[in-house]
C-alpha cells in the first residue's frame, strides 16, 4: 500500500478518476446543464449586480483562469515558456474575453469577443450579422480568419491560438491542470479523433457556406432554412453539449482537452495548417529513457514517448504546443521549435580529411 | 527458427523488435520473471511518487506484442541446456538461437549485520524493489540511502516526496565523483540539503542494525556514529546479472558479465548476449560493460542483426549521458571525470543560480563537457569533440548548443568563469 494521508487520498482520488473525480465531474456537468438549459442562475447574477447568467458565467470563468493560472505559474516557476504563456492566457481572458465585451455591452454596443474567430465562432461570419456589427469588426473577423490565422499558424504552429489565446485552451491549461494527464493515449483514440474533429469542421464550413449561399441567392429560401436549422442543431450539440457540458464537465474523467481534441473546428483547421508550417517538437538523439512522463502529461493524448524513444522529431496536427512534454521530461529530450534550423556551422576541412566527424575519435582517457 | 530472448528489459525488447523487422518468419519469445510486460526501469521513481501508474511505465501499447508476433513468457529461467531453457516451474522452452539480456543486478557488500536483515533493506532497480519501497514507506519515519550515484539520489527524492527524513551516505569526499567535479558536486549537495536531505559526505556504512524481527532499525557508520532508520536503500551501483548463468549447464563463458565479441557472440554457437549483462571484448581494447539506457538499445539493435545472420560489429558512441538531481538537470558528453587529475578545464557558473558548465580540454581541443542546471543539445557538443574544436571556438559558439525552452535560455553572458585543473576524489 502506498503511504496516504487524507489529503493525499483526496488528491489521488481527484486525479485518478476516483470518487472525488466523479463527484466533481457530476457537479461541473450539472452546472453546465443548469447554465445552458435553465434560467436558475439569473437570480444569483442579479444578486451580484450582474445583468444575467452569462455575465456571471464569464466572471466565474475568468476567476477560474486567474486562480488556476497562478497555481500553474507557481508550479512551473522555473520554466519561462510556461510563465510567459500562462501570463498571456490570463491577460487575454481578462481583457478580450471578459472586460472588453462587458464594456462594449455597457456602452450599448454588440458584445464582441476579439479572441474568438471563425470557425470557432461561426456566427462571426454569418453575412446576415454583418450589418449588426461595426464594420471594423467584420473586417477584423474576415482578415483574422483568412489571413492572420493561417499566417501565424504557419509561423508558430497552432499553439499561438490554442494555448496562448483561446479561452477553452486557457481554462484547460489553468483550472484544468490537475486533470491534464487523463487524456486517452491509445491508437484507437487517435483514430476516433481524426474522424470526429474533421467532421465538425466540415459541418461548420457547410453551415457557413449555406449562409453565404442564401445571402447571395436571397430568393432561395430553402437554403437559408437549411442553414438556420443546421445552425440550431450545431448550437445545441456542438457548442452547448460538446464544448460546455462534455468539454469542461468531463475534465476530471476524460482530461481537459476533450473538446479541443475531438470536436473543435478551429483546432481542426489550425492542425491542418500546422502540418505545413514551421512548428515541430525536436527530439534529441538517443537521450530518451522511455519513462513516459511526456505521454502521460500530454493533454492531447499524443504518445510523445513513441516519437522520443525512436529519435524522431515530429509535428502532430493535434499538438497545441503547451510545452508540458518538454517541461516534465527528466532528460531534457524535447524542445518546441518554429524552424527547421540548419546546423550551426559547417564541418571543418580537417574533420573531413581524417573522418573524425564519423566517430573515429579516441579520448586520452581510453588510451590509458 | 525459434529465437528465445532472456530478459524483457530494453536490450532484450529492442533486440526482439529489430529481429522482427529483419525476419518476418522467426518465432520470437521473450522470457522474464520480473514483469509480464516491458517497462521503463528508469521511470520507477515516477511510479513511486504517484506521478505515473505502473501501466504508464510500459513504453509500448500492449497490442504491439501480438501484432509483432512476439511471445511473452513470465517465468524465471533456472537452467539452460543446448536447445532448451528450463523455467522455475520445470517446463521447457525450446530454442534454436538464444539471446541473453538479463541486465544488471544491484551491488551488495558484506556489511556487518546484513545476514540478519529480513526486512527494510531495498534496492531501486526492479519492479519488486518498487513493491518493497511502497510497502515499507508508511512504516518508515527516517530512511538512509547508501551510494552516491544517480539511483541513490532518485530514491532520496522519492522518500523526500513523502516527507520522510532521509540520511544520504556518500562514501566519497563529494557527491558522485565519477561524474561530477568537486565544484559542481558542492552546489548539487547544497541543493539536496535545501530539499531537506541530510547528506553525509565521506561517510561509510559499517554495520546494519536490526530489531528482533529482522527489520532494519538503524545503522552504524565507520566514523562511529549511529543513525536510526526504518528503511535502508542500497544504491551502490549495479553489476551484470550473470551469476545465475554460472549455475547452468550450457557453459556460457562469464567474466564480470557474459563475455562476447563485438558481434555479441558468446563462446557457445547460436548464443548471443547484449545489454548490461554483456562484457564486450574487442581486440586491443579493455573489456566494455555499458549500463546506460541508450547503450542497451543500441546493443539490442546490433545484436538483432547478428542473430538474423547479418554481421554487424558494435562500436560504442562517444560517451554522453544525462540525469537530474531534484531540479538540477545534468548533461555530459565526452570525457571529463575519466580524464587524469590536473587536466585543464574551463569552469563557469551563474552567481545566483545552480547553473554551471565545465569544459575539459587538452589546451588545443575540447575533450568533454559537464553541464548542469540548463539544457544542452548533446549532438552539437559531441560534434565539437569529434571535430577537435578548440576551447575558444566552443566558448564562442556555445549558445548554438543550448536546448532550453523558449524564453528560458540560461544567460551565458552572465556566467563567471575560470580555468581550473581537474580535481579527482582521492587524488592530490
Amino acid at each position: 500500500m502506498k503511504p496516504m494521508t487524507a489529503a493525499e487520498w483526496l488528491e489521488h482520488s481527484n486525479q485518478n478518476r476516483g470518487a472525488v473525480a466523479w463527484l466533481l465531474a457530476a457537479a461541473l456537468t450539472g452546472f453546465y446543464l443548469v447554465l445552458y438549459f435553465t434560467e436558475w442562475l439569473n437570480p444569483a447574477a442579479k444578486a451580484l449586480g450582474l445583468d444575467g447568467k452569462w455575465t456571471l458565467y464569464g466572471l466565474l470563468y475568468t476567476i477560474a483562469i486567474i486562480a488556476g493560472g497562478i497555481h500553474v505559474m507557481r508550479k512551473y516557476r522555473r520554466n519561462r515558456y510556461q510563465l510567459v504563456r500562462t501570463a498571456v492566457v490570463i491577460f487575454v481572458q481578462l481583457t478580450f474575453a471578459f472586460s472588453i465585451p462587458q464594456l462594449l455591452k455597457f456602452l450599448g454596443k454588440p458584445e464582441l469577443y476579439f479572441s474568438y474567430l471563425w470557425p470557432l465562432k461561426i456566427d462571426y461570419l454569418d453575412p446576415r450579422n454583418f450589418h449588426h456589427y461595426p464594420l471594423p469588426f467584420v473586417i477584423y473577423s474576415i482578415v483574422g480568419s483568412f489571413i492572420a490565422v493561417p499566417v501565424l499558424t504557419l509561423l508558430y504552429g497552432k499553439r499561438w491560438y490554442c494555448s496562448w489565446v483561446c479561452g477553452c485552451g486557457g481554462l484547460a491549461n489553468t483550472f484544468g491542470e490537475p486533470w491534464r494527464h487523463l487524456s486517452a493515449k491509445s491508437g484507437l483514440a487517435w483514430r476516433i479523433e481524426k474522424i470526429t474533429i474533421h467532421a465538425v469542421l466540415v459541418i461548420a464550413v457547410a453551415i457557413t457556406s449555406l449562409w453565404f449561399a442564401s445571402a447571395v441567392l436571397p430568393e432561395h429560401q430553402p437554403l437559408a432554412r437549411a442553414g438556420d436549422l443546421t445552425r440550431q442543431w450545431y448550437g445545441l450539440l456542438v457548442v452547448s453539449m460538446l464544448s460546455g457540458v462534455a468539454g469542461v464537465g468531463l475534465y476530471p474523467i476524460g482530461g481537459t482537452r476533450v473538446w479541443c481534441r475531438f470536436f473543435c473546428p478551429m483546432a481542426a483547421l489550425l492542425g491542418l495548417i500546422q502540418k505545413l508550417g514551421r512548428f515541430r517538437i525536436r527530439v534529441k538523439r538517443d537521450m530518451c529513457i522511455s519513462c513516459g512522463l511526456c505521454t502521460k502529461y500530454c493533454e492531447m493524448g499524443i504518445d510523445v514517448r513513441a516519437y522520443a524513444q525512436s529519435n524522431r522529431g515530429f509535428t502532430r496536427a493535434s499538438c497545441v504546443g503547451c510545452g508540458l512534454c518538454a517541461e516534465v521530461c527528466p532528460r531534457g529530450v524535447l524542445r518546441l521549435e518554429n524552424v527547421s534550423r540548419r546546423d550551426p556551422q559547417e564541418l571543418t576541412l580537417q574533420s573531413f580529411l581524417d573522418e573524425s566527424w564519423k566517430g573515429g575519435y579516441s579520448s586520452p582517457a581510453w588510451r590509458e | 527458427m525459434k529465437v528465445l530472448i532472456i530478459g524483457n528489459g530494453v536490450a532484450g525488447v529492442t533486440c526482439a523488435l529489430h529481429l522482427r523487422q529483419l525476419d518476418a518468419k522467426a518465432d520470437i519469445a521473450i522470457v522474464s520473471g520480473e514483469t509480464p510486460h516491458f517497462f521503463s526501469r528508469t521511470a520507477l521513481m515516477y511510479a513511486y511518487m504517484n506521478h505515473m501508474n505502473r501501466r504508464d511505465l510500459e513504453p509500448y501499447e500492449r497490442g504491439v506484442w501480438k501484432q509483432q508476433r512476439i511471445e511473452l513468457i513470465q517465468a524465471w529461467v533456472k537452467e539452460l541446456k543446448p536447445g532448451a531453457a528450463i523455467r522455475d516451474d520445470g517446463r521447457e522452452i525450446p530454442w534454436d538461437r538464444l539471446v541473453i539480456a538479463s541486465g544488471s543486478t544491484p551491488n551488495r557488500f558484506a556489511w556487518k549485520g546484513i545476514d540478519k536483515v529480513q526486512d527494510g533493506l531495498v534496492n531501486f532497480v526492479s519492479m519488486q524493489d518498487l513493491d518493497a519501497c511502497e510497502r515499507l514507506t508508511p512504516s518508515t519515519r527516517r530512511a538512509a540511502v547508501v551510494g552516491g550515484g544517480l539511483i541513490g539520489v532518485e530514491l532520496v527524492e522519492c522518500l523526500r516526496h513523502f516527507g520522510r527524513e532521509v540520511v544520504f551516505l556518500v562514501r566519497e569526499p563529494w557527491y558522485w565523483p565519477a561524474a561530477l567535479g568537486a565544484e559542481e558536486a558542492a552546489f548539487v549537495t547544497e541543493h539536496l540539503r535545501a530539499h531537506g536531505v541530510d547528506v553525509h559526505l565521506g561517510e561509510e556504512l559499517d554495520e546494519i542494525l536490526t530489531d528482533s524481527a529482522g527489520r532494519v532499525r538503524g545503522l552504524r557508520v565507520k566514523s562511529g556514529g549511529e543513525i536510526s532508520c526504518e528503511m535502508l536503500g542500497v544504491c551502490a551501483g549495479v553489476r551484470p546479472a550473470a551469476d545465475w548463468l554460472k549455475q547452468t549447464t550450457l557453459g556460457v563463458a562469464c567474466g564480470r558479465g557474459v563475455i562476447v565479441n563485438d558481434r555479441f557472440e558468446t563462446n557457445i554457437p547460436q548464443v548471443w548476449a547484449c545489454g548490461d549483462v554483456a562484457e564486450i571484448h574487442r581486440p586491443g581494447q579493455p573489456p566494455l560493460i555499458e549500463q546506460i539506457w541508450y547503450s542497451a538499445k543500441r546493443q539490442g539493435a546490433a545484436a538483432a542483426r547478428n542473430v538474423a545472420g547479418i554481421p554487424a560489429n558494435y562500436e560504442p558512441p562517444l560517451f554522453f549521458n544525462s540525469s537530474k538531481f531534484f531540479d538540477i538537470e545534468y548533461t555530459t558528453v565526452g570525457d571529463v571525470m575519466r580524464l587524469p587529475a590536473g587536466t585543464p578545464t574551463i569552469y563557469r557558473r551563474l552567481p545566483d543560480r545552480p547553473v554551471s558548465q565545465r569544459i575539459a580540454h587538452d589546451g588545443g581541443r575540447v575533450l568533454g563537457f559537464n553541464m548542469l542546471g540548463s539544457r544542452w543539445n548533446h549532438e552539437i557538443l559531441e560534434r565539437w569533440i569529434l571535430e577537435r574544436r578548440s576551447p575558444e571556438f566552443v566558448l564562442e559558439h556555445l549558445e548554438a548548443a543550448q536546448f532550453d525552452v523558449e524564453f528560458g535560455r540560461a544567460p551565458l553572458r552572465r556566467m563567471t568563469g575560470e580555468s581550473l585543473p581537474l580535481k579527482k576524489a582521492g587524488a592530490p
Side-chain angles (χ1 to χ4, degrees):
Chain A
M1 219 355 247
K2 295 206 185 197
M4 264 193 211
T5 62
E8 281 165 1
W9 179 84
L10 277 175
E11 190 186 5
H12 189 265
S13 177
N14 178 30
Q15 297 186 1
N16 291 278
R17 300 194 184 102
V20 175
W22 282 99
L23 276 172
L24 265 174
L28 281 168
T29 310
F31 170 79
Y32 273 94
L33 290 171
V34 167
L35 173 73
Y36 281 114
F37 302 109
T38 75
E39 302 303 321
W40 301 347
L41 289 173
N42 278 325
K46 292 281 186 319
L48 290 168
L50 305 170
D51 61 348
K53 61 178 184 179
W54 293 111
T55 308
L56 175 64
Y57 175 57
L59 182 67
L60 290 173
Y61 202 98
T62 307
I63 291 170
I65 284 187
I66 293 172
I70 291 168
H71 164 70
V72 164
M73 288 173 83
R74 286 170 57 97
K75 185 169 175 186
Y76 302 117
R77 60 190 172 278
R78 286 181 194 83
N79 184 325
R80 289 278 304 278
Y81 179 73
Q82 297 306 333
L83 291 178
V84 175
R85 185 174 74 82
T86 310
V88 171
V89 163
I90 293 174
F91 171 79
V92 171
Q93 176 63 31
L94 208 51
T95 53
F96 297 108
F98 186 68
S99 308
I100 293 175
Q102 293 305 322
L103 189 67
L104 288 170
K105 195 166 60 177
F106 181 75
L107 297 173
K109 307 268 194 269
E111 186 183 335
L112 298 170
Y113 291 80
F114 291 86
S115 52
Y116 292 108
L117 292 160
W118 182 91
L120 182 52
K121 196 95 171 166
I122 54 173
D123 297 347
Y124 285 173
L125 284 192
D126 182 347
R128 285 166 304 177
N129 284 338
F130 284 173
H131 53 267
H132 302 309
Y133 296 150
L135 183 64
F137 184 75
V138 175
I139 295 169
Y140 173 83
S141 288
I142 293 170
V143 171
S145 294
F146 296 106
I147 298 173
V149 165
V151 169
L152 285 170
T153 307
L154 285 171
L155 290 177
Y156 305 112
K158 75 200 266 187
R159 55 182 172 154
W160 78 268
Y161 190 75
C162 295
S163 57
W164 286 71
V165 171
C166 178
C168 308
L171 191 71
N173 285 170
T174 53
F175 172 71
E177 170 69 17
W179 306 290
R180 62 155 42 245
H181 58 282
L182 296 171
S183 55
K185 305 303 191 312
S186 67
L188 177 66
W190 186 11
R191 289 198 292 278
I192 293 172
E193 155 200 330
K194 283 190 279 195
I195 297 169
T196 53
I197 195 165
H198 295 120
V200 176
L201 176 62
V202 167
I203 295 168
V205 171
I207 293 170
T208 317
S209 309
L210 282 171
W211 286 340
F212 271 91
S214 60
V216 178
L217 310 163
E219 69 281 7
H220 234 328
Q221 281 309 306
L223 271 181
R225 274 206 302 278
D228 288 339
L229 193 66
T230 331
R231 171 70 185 88
Q232 274 174 22
W233 280 98
Y234 184 87
L236 176 69
L237 269 175
V238 178
V239 180
S240 309
M241 293 307 289
L242 294 179
S243 81
V245 180
V248 181
L250 294 181
Y251 268 17
I253 302 302
T256 47
R257 291 274 194 169
V258 170
W259 157 252
C260 313
R261 177 186 181 190
F262 291 98
F263 306 113
C264 175
M266 185 85 177
L269 183 63
L270 293 173
L272 295 173
I273 301 171
Q274 170 159 281
K275 295 288 282 182
L276 306 170
R278 302 192 309 160
F279 174 73
R280 67 168 178 184
I281 293 182
R282 182 177 176 132
V283 171
K284 282 201 281 203
R285 173 175 49 76
D286 276 346
M287 202 58 111
C288 172
I289 53 169
S290 298
C291 73
L293 281 167
C294 51
T295 296
K296 172 94 180 179
Y297 287 92
C298 177
E299 54 185 347
M300 299 305 281
I302 299 170
D303 189 356
V304 182
R305 165 169 56 188
Y307 299 94
Q309 69 190 359
S310 52
N311 300 325
R312 278 187 298 205
F314 65 100
T315 306
R316 274 276 290 270
S318 64
C319 175
V320 290
C322 69
L324 252 291
C325 53
E327 158 65 25
V328 297
C329 176
R331 296 292 181 269
V333 173
L334 306 163
R335 189 170 70 175
L336 278 56
E337 288 187 347
N338 288 324
V339 286
S340 45
R341 262 189 324 156
R342 282 163 52 90
D343 289 325
Q345 78 268 319
E346 301 303 324
L347 292 167
T348 55
L349 183 61
Q350 183 63 39
S351 68
F352 275 116
L353 289 175
D354 62 18
E355 295 199 313
S356 61
W357 59 280
K358 280 184 179 172
Y361 163 87
S362 72
S363 152
W366 305 342
R367 284 201 296 269
E368 272 173 16
Chain B
M1 180 177 75
K2 286 182 170 28
V3 182
L4 177 64
I5 297 167
I6 299 178
N8 71 349
V10 63
V13 161
T14 307
C15 182
L17 290 169
H18 278 255
L19 194 55
R20 176 53 75 225
Q21 299 301 307
L22 299 167
D23 184 341
K25 290 202 196 102
D27 286 329
I28 303 174
I30 304 178
V31 58
S32 162
E34 185 182 13
T35 50
H37 293 92
F38 169 45
F39 74 97
S40 177
R41 198 171 297 292
T42 48
L44 280 178
M45 65 179 291
Y46 307 110
Y48 191 5
M49 294 192 290
N50 290 326
H51 295 169
M52 304 180 89
N53 302 318
R54 297 218 177 169
R55 185 79 181 255
D56 300 326
L57 303 188
E58 293 172 19
Y60 298 99
E61 278 189 59
R62 288 192 177 171
V64 162
W65 311 112
K66 200 169 178 188
Q67 186 215 352
Q68 296 292 315
R69 287 174 292 116
I70 294 169
E71 189 192 351
L72 304 178
I73 303 166
Q74 190 177 12
W76 295 103
V77 173
K78 288 292 169 211
E79 160 70 338
L80 287 174
K81 297 190 301 192
I86 317 293
R87 304 163 37 148
D88 49 356
D89 58 7
R91 287 160 66 189
E92 283 198 5
I93 313 168
W95 54 266
D96 303 316
R97 295 181 183 188
L98 180 70
V99 180
I100 300 165
S102 49
S104 284
T105 191
N107 284 327
R108 282 206 182 180
F109 300 93
W111 291 300
K112 279 181 255 171
I114 196 165
D115 48 318
K116 295 195 195 69
V117 177
Q118 300 294 322
D119 201 13
L121 191 152
V122 293
N123 302 117
F124 199 49
V125 296
S126 71
M127 201 54 107
Q128 284 74 24
D129 295 338
L130 178 60
D131 291 337
C133 287
E134 289 183 350
R135 181 174 53 78
L136 290 166
T137 312
S139 57
T140 296
R141 194 182 59 84
R142 183 192 286 147
V145 175
V146 174
L150 175 59
I151 297 178
V153 98
E154 288 181 352
L155 181 56
V156 164
E157 182 175 346
C158 295
L159 290 161
R160 286 302 303 149
H161 175 81
F162 290 110
R164 276 19 182 202
E165 287 179 32
V166 181
V167 178
F168 191 26
L169 291 186
V170 177
R171 190 176 56 179
E172 293 82 7
W174 70 78
Y175 171 67
W176 209 8
L180 300 181
E183 292 78 11
E184 293 98 319
F187 72 76
V188 169
T189 304
E190 200 180 302
H191 184 68
L192 299 186
R193 287 182 174 142
H195 276 275
V197 185
D198 183 8
V199 185
H200 293 227
L201 299 175
E203 189 66 277
E204 226 173 315
L205 172 60
D206 183 41
E207 182 179 359
I208 305 170
L209 309 172
T210 45
D211 62 17
S212 54
R215 169 83 186 251
V216 171
R217 65 169 178 83
L219 41 91
R220 190 169 290 126
V221 291
K222 286 246 165 95
S223 65
E226 244 183 62
I227 297 164
S228 73
C229 63
E230 295 76 38
M231 193 170 160
L232 172 63
V234 175
C235 307
V238 293
R239 61 193 160 85
D243 289 345
W244 68 279
L245 278 163
K246 294 167 190 162
Q247 321 296 323
T248 62
T249 50
L250 189 64
V252 178
C254 294
R256 284 167 62 207
V258 178
I259 295 170
V260 295
N261 61 14
D262 64 354
R263 292 182 181 178
F264 301 103
E265 293 161 340
T266 66
N267 61 319
I268 311 284
Q270 308 299 312
V271 180
W272 292 261
C274 64
D276 284 21
V277 76
E279 179 183 321
I280 304 172
H281 288 242
R282 294 166 299 163
Q285 307 245 32
L288 175 72
I289 296 176
E290 293 183 296
Q291 296 166 321
I292 304 175
W293 190 261
Y294 71 76
S295 60
K297 271 169 89 170
R298 295 169 59 107
Q299 289 194 22
R305 297 183 72 80
N306 289 299
V307 174
I310 306 159
N313 297 63
Y314 179 74
E315 189 66 42
L318 184 70
F319 179 79
F320 62 90
N321 204 1
S322 63
S323 64
K324 197 173 179 184
F325 318 107
F326 284 80
D327 305 316
I328 301 180
E329 295 188 32
Y330 166 61
T331 306
T332 184
V333 184
D335 293 308
V336 181
M337 296 313 292
R338 286 182 297 179
L339 294 166
T343 303
T345 70
I346 299 161
Y347 176 73
R348 326 189 305 161
R349 70 160 289 182
L350 278 181
D352 51 346
R353 271 163 55 192
V355 175
S356 77
Q357 292 121 36
R358 186 187 293 272
I359 302 166
H361 59 93
D362 66 0
R365 59 180 177 133
V366 294
L367 303 171
F369 298 89
N370 252 4
M371 314 301 235
L372 279 109
S374 71
R375 289 184 172 180
W376 295 90
N377 185 344
H378 68 291
E379 297 173 45
I380 294 176
L381 301 179
E382 182 183 274
R383 222 186 43 225
W384 283 339
I385 296 173
L386 297 179
E387 290 173 6
R388 297 154 198 251
R389 295 289 187 177
S390 68
E392 295 75 27
F393 174 91
V394 166
L395 277 181
E396 193 189 324
H397 294 85
L398 205 53
E399 219 171 81
Q402 286 190 285
F403 206 71
D404 294 305
V405 298
E406 292 154 298
F407 311 111
R409 278 198 171 185
L412 294 182
R413 284 204 194 96
R414 286 182 42 225
M415 311 282 307
T416 51
E418 53 184 324
S419 273
L420 271 184
L422 197 66
K423 263 189 286 183
K424 303 213 12 166

